């Protein structure tokens, strides 16, 4: 009985570590792929790079966001009433799961309160943008 309890605890610890690592994946991806332009707190960079914190763009363009991350962005966009016209690089190396975790982090960081994306939803949206220019 003691061995069974120890085995269950060990198994729970392993599972807990897996879920904890995945839970923080969006934050880690943001720090490594996005923060240098959009700011550590999603504040943006003056009128050069749009903010993500408190951004109306996230809600208005929810269905476009997975493609925007995967394919990048060229041309002007309006975020919270301000026009930005800088190139956002593509992140084609990110998996559908990573894009999902990244979006869920952004949608719920810095006071944002957006609905969560599912991997299925993100995968379907990414399939729809194959061959497009990412806009």
């Amino acid at each position: 009985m003691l061995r069974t309890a120890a085995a269950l605890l060990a198994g729970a610890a392993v599972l807990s570590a897996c879920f904890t690592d995945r839970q923080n994946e969006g934050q880690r991806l943001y720090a490594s792929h996005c923060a240098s332009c959009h700011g550590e707190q999603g504040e943006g960079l003056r009128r050069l790079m749009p903010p993500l914190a408190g951004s109306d763009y996230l809600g208005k363009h929810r269905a476009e966001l997975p493609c925007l991350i995967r394919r990048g962005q060229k041309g002007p966009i309006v975020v919270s009433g301000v026009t930005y016209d800088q190139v956002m690089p593509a992140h084609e190396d990110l998996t559908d799961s990573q894009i999902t975790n990244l979006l869920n982090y952004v949608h719920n960081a810095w006071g944002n309160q957006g609905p969560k994306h599912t991997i299925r939803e993100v995968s379907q949206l990414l399939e729809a943008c194959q061959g497009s220019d990412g806009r």
Side-chain angles (χ1 to χ4, degrees):
M1 180 147 159
L2 190 54
R3 282 186 191 172
T4 303
L8 286 173
L9 286 174
V14 168
L15 284 176
S16 173
C18 290
F19 287 118
T20 301
D21 289 346
R22 295 294 280 178
Q23 183 179 30
N24 296 324
E25 181 180 42
Q27 184 176 13
R28 285 192 305 274
L29 289 166
Y30 180 83
S32 64
H33 292 277
C34 312
S36 61
C37 292
H38 293 287
E40 289 183 22
Q41 299 300 312
E43 71 275 14
L45 180 60
R46 296 185 209 121
R47 291 191 174 259
L48 295 175
M49 300 297 174
L52 299 176
S55 168
D56 65 346
Y57 193 89
L58 297 176
K60 290 180 180 178
H61 299 273
R62 176 184 166 82
E64 300 166 30
L65 296 176
C67 290
L68 190 145
I69 292 170
R70 172 82 41 89
R71 314 280 274 165
Q73 169 72 37
K74 294 178 185 169
I77 62 169
V78 177
V79 178
S80 301
V82 177
T83 301
Y84 296 88
D85 194 7
Q86 296 294 321
V87 174
M88 179 177 141
H91 297 285
E92 295 175 342
D93 58 320
L94 297 178
T95 66
D96 295 8
S97 174
Q98 289 173 319
I99 291 173
T100 303
N101 286 327
L102 175 58
L103 285 170
N104 287 335
Y105 172 72
V106 168
H107 276 298
N108 291 284
W110 320 298
N112 293 338
Q113 296 181 344
K116 291 202 179 254
H117 288 268
T118 65
I119 293 173
R120 174 178 279 173
E121 173 192 12
V122 168
S123 294
Q124 289 171 343
L125 292 169
L126 288 168
E127 282 180 29
C129 77
Q130 294 298 329
S132 74
D133 66 358
R135 283 190 247 171

